[in-house]
PDB file of all heavy atoms in Angstrom:
ATOM      1  N   GLY B 112      14.358 -14.070 -29.674  1.00 97.00           N
ATOM      2  CA  GLY B 112      13.027 -14.215 -30.344  1.00 97.00           C
ATOM      3  C   GLY B 112      11.822 -13.771 -29.451  1.00 97.00           C
ATOM      4  O   GLY B 112      10.739 -14.283 -29.509  1.00 97.00           O
ATOM      5  N   LEU B 113      12.076 -12.723 -28.606  1.00 98.00           N
ATOM      6  CA  LEU B 113      11.081 -12.253 -27.703  1.00 98.00           C
ATOM      7  C   LEU B 113      10.200 -11.151 -28.303  1.00 98.00           C
ATOM      8  O   LEU B 113      10.770 -10.180 -28.853  1.00 98.00           O
ATOM      9  CB  LEU B 113      11.856 -11.662 -26.432  1.00 98.00           C
ATOM     10  CG  LEU B 113      11.026 -11.013 -25.418  1.00 98.00           C
ATOM     11  CD1 LEU B 113       9.982 -11.947 -24.743  1.00 98.00           C
ATOM     12  CD2 LEU B 113      11.861 -10.309 -24.353  1.00 98.00           C
ATOM     13  N   PRO B 114       8.951 -11.254 -28.213  1.00 98.00           N
ATOM     14  CA  PRO B 114       8.072 -10.155 -28.740  1.00 98.00           C
ATOM     15  C   PRO B 114       8.313  -8.874 -28.034  1.00 98.00           C
ATOM     16  O   PRO B 114       8.446  -8.920 -26.792  1.00 98.00           O
ATOM     17  CB  PRO B 114       6.710 -10.605 -28.511  1.00 98.00           C
ATOM     18  CG  PRO B 114       6.767 -12.164 -28.443  1.00 98.00           C
ATOM     19  CD  PRO B 114       8.074 -12.431 -27.801  1.00 98.00           C
ATOM     20  N   LEU B 115       8.514  -7.821 -28.693  1.00 98.00           N
ATOM     21  CA  LEU B 115       8.836  -6.531 -28.085  1.00 98.00           C
ATOM     22  C   LEU B 115       8.039  -5.413 -28.794  1.00 98.00           C
ATOM     23  O   LEU B 115       7.962  -5.295 -30.026  1.00 98.00           O
ATOM     24  CB  LEU B 115      10.377  -6.162 -28.285  1.00 98.00           C
ATOM     25  CG  LEU B 115      10.829  -4.797 -28.068  1.00 98.00           C
ATOM     26  CD1 LEU B 115      10.648  -4.371 -26.573  1.00 98.00           C
ATOM     27  CD2 LEU B 115      12.279  -4.672 -28.425  1.00 98.00           C
ATOM     28  N   VAL B 116       7.317  -4.633 -27.923  1.00 98.00           N
ATOM     29  CA  VAL B 116       6.585  -3.510 -28.495  1.00 98.00           C
ATOM     30  C   VAL B 116       7.172  -2.301 -27.839  1.00 98.00           C
ATOM     31  O   VAL B 116       7.588  -2.092 -26.698  1.00 98.00           O
ATOM     32  CB  VAL B 116       5.036  -3.736 -28.142  1.00 98.00           C
ATOM     33  CG1 VAL B 116       4.704  -3.634 -26.654  1.00 98.00           C
ATOM     34  CG2 VAL B 116       4.246  -2.648 -28.848  1.00 98.00           C
ATOM     35  N   HIS B 117       7.190  -1.177 -28.708  1.00 98.00           N
ATOM     36  CA  HIS B 117       7.740   0.088 -28.305  1.00 98.00           C
ATOM     37  C   HIS B 117       6.676   1.234 -28.190  1.00 98.00           C
ATOM     38  O   HIS B 117       5.700   1.138 -28.986  1.00 98.00           O
ATOM     39  CB  HIS B 117       8.784   0.650 -29.325  1.00 98.00           C
ATOM     40  CG  HIS B 117       9.951  -0.348 -29.612  1.00 98.00           C
ATOM     41  ND1 HIS B 117      11.113  -0.313 -28.977  1.00 98.00           N
ATOM     42  CD2 HIS B 117      10.011  -1.453 -30.492  1.00 98.00           C
ATOM     43  CE1 HIS B 117      11.942  -1.229 -29.475  1.00 98.00           C
ATOM     44  NE2 HIS B 117      11.273  -1.962 -30.334  1.00 98.00           N
ATOM     45  N   ALA B 118       6.787   2.044 -27.281  1.00 98.00           N
ATOM     46  CA  ALA B 118       5.910   3.320 -27.206  1.00 98.00           C
ATOM     47  C   ALA B 118       6.853   4.527 -27.233  1.00 98.00           C
ATOM     48  O   ALA B 118       7.933   4.473 -26.452  1.00 98.00           O
ATOM     49  CB  ALA B 118       5.073   3.210 -26.036  1.00 98.00           C
ATOM     50  N   ALA B 119       6.538   5.504 -27.981  1.00 96.00           N
ATOM     51  CA  ALA B 119       7.413   6.660 -28.005  1.00 96.00           C
ATOM     52  C   ALA B 119       6.581   7.973 -28.341  1.00 96.00           C
ATOM     53  O   ALA B 119       5.576   7.928 -29.024  1.00 96.00           O
ATOM     54  CB  ALA B 119       8.429   6.493 -29.236  1.00 96.00           C
ATOM     55  N   ILE B 120       7.024   9.027 -27.807  1.00 94.00           N
ATOM     56  CA  ILE B 120       6.294  10.295 -27.830  1.00 94.00           C
ATOM     57  C   ILE B 120       7.281  11.451 -28.329  1.00 94.00           C
ATOM     58  O   ILE B 120       8.395  11.411 -28.042  1.00 94.00           O
ATOM     59  CB  ILE B 120       5.549  10.626 -26.487  1.00 94.00           C
ATOM     60  CG1 ILE B 120       4.568  11.722 -26.721  1.00 94.00           C
ATOM     61  CG2 ILE B 120       6.558  10.870 -25.488  1.00 94.00           C
ATOM     62  CD1 ILE B 120       3.639  11.922 -25.467  1.00 94.00           C
ATOM     63  N   SER B 121       6.599  12.366 -29.053  1.00 91.00           N
ATOM     64  CA  SER B 121       7.435  13.513 -29.482  1.00 91.00           C
ATOM     65  C   SER B 121       7.670  14.462 -28.336  1.00 91.00           C
ATOM     66  O   SER B 121       6.947  14.471 -27.342  1.00 91.00           O
ATOM     67  CB  SER B 121       6.759  14.226 -30.570  1.00 91.00           C
ATOM     68  OG  SER B 121       5.606  14.835 -30.191  1.00 91.00           O
ATOM     69  N   GLY B 122       8.721  15.268 -28.451  1.00 86.00           N
ATOM     70  CA  GLY B 122       9.033  16.194 -27.320  1.00 86.00           C
ATOM     71  C   GLY B 122       7.993  17.217 -27.056  1.00 86.00           C
ATOM     72  O   GLY B 122       7.943  17.663 -25.931  1.00 86.00           O
ATOM     73  N   ASP B 123       7.251  17.555 -28.094  1.00 86.00           N
ATOM     74  CA  ASP B 123       6.247  18.609 -27.800  1.00 86.00           C
ATOM     75  C   ASP B 123       4.835  17.974 -27.400  1.00 86.00           C
ATOM     76  O   ASP B 123       3.878  18.714 -27.258  1.00 86.00           O
ATOM     77  CB  ASP B 123       6.022  19.493 -29.061  1.00 86.00           C
ATOM     78  CG  ASP B 123       5.499  18.656 -30.293  1.00 86.00           C
ATOM     79  OD1 ASP B 123       5.213  17.511 -30.165  1.00 86.00           O
ATOM     80  OD2 ASP B 123       5.305  19.301 -31.287  1.00 86.00           O
ATOM     81  N   GLY B 124       4.831  16.651 -27.232  1.00 89.00           N
ATOM     82  CA  GLY B 124       3.612  16.044 -26.827  1.00 89.00           C
ATOM     83  C   GLY B 124       2.457  16.054 -27.734  1.00 89.00           C
ATOM     84  O   GLY B 124       1.273  15.896 -27.282  1.00 89.00           O
ATOM     85  N   THR B 125       2.724  16.155 -29.021  1.00 89.00           N
ATOM     86  CA  THR B 125       1.604  16.287 -29.951  1.00 89.00           C
ATOM     87  C   THR B 125       1.419  14.921 -30.793  1.00 89.00           C
ATOM     88  O   THR B 125       0.418  14.691 -31.429  1.00 89.00           O
ATOM     89  CB  THR B 125       1.746  17.387 -31.023  1.00 89.00           C
ATOM     90  OG1 THR B 125       2.937  17.110 -31.770  1.00 89.00           O
ATOM     91  CG2 THR B 125       1.878  18.692 -30.331  1.00 89.00           C
ATOM     92  N   PHE B 126       2.326  14.000 -30.585  1.00 94.00           N
ATOM     93  CA  PHE B 126       2.225  12.800 -31.478  1.00 94.00           C
ATOM     94  C   PHE B 126       3.050  11.672 -30.800  1.00 94.00           C
ATOM     95  O   PHE B 126       3.982  11.909 -30.051  1.00 94.00           O
ATOM     96  CB  PHE B 126       3.071  13.070 -32.837  1.00 94.00           C
ATOM     97  CG  PHE B 126       3.040  11.994 -33.748  1.00 94.00           C
ATOM     98  CD1 PHE B 126       1.988  11.630 -34.429  1.00 94.00           C
ATOM     99  CD2 PHE B 126       4.241  11.278 -33.918  1.00 94.00           C
ATOM    100  CE1 PHE B 126       2.010  10.505 -35.334  1.00 94.00           C
ATOM    101  CE2 PHE B 126       4.274  10.247 -34.836  1.00 94.00           C
ATOM    102  CZ  PHE B 126       3.145   9.817 -35.574  1.00 94.00           C
TER     103      PHE B 126
END
Side-chain angles (χ1 to χ4, degrees):
Chain B
L113 173 66
L115 166 63
V116 65
H117 304 266
I120 191 167
S121 64
D123 64 359
T125 62
F126 179 76

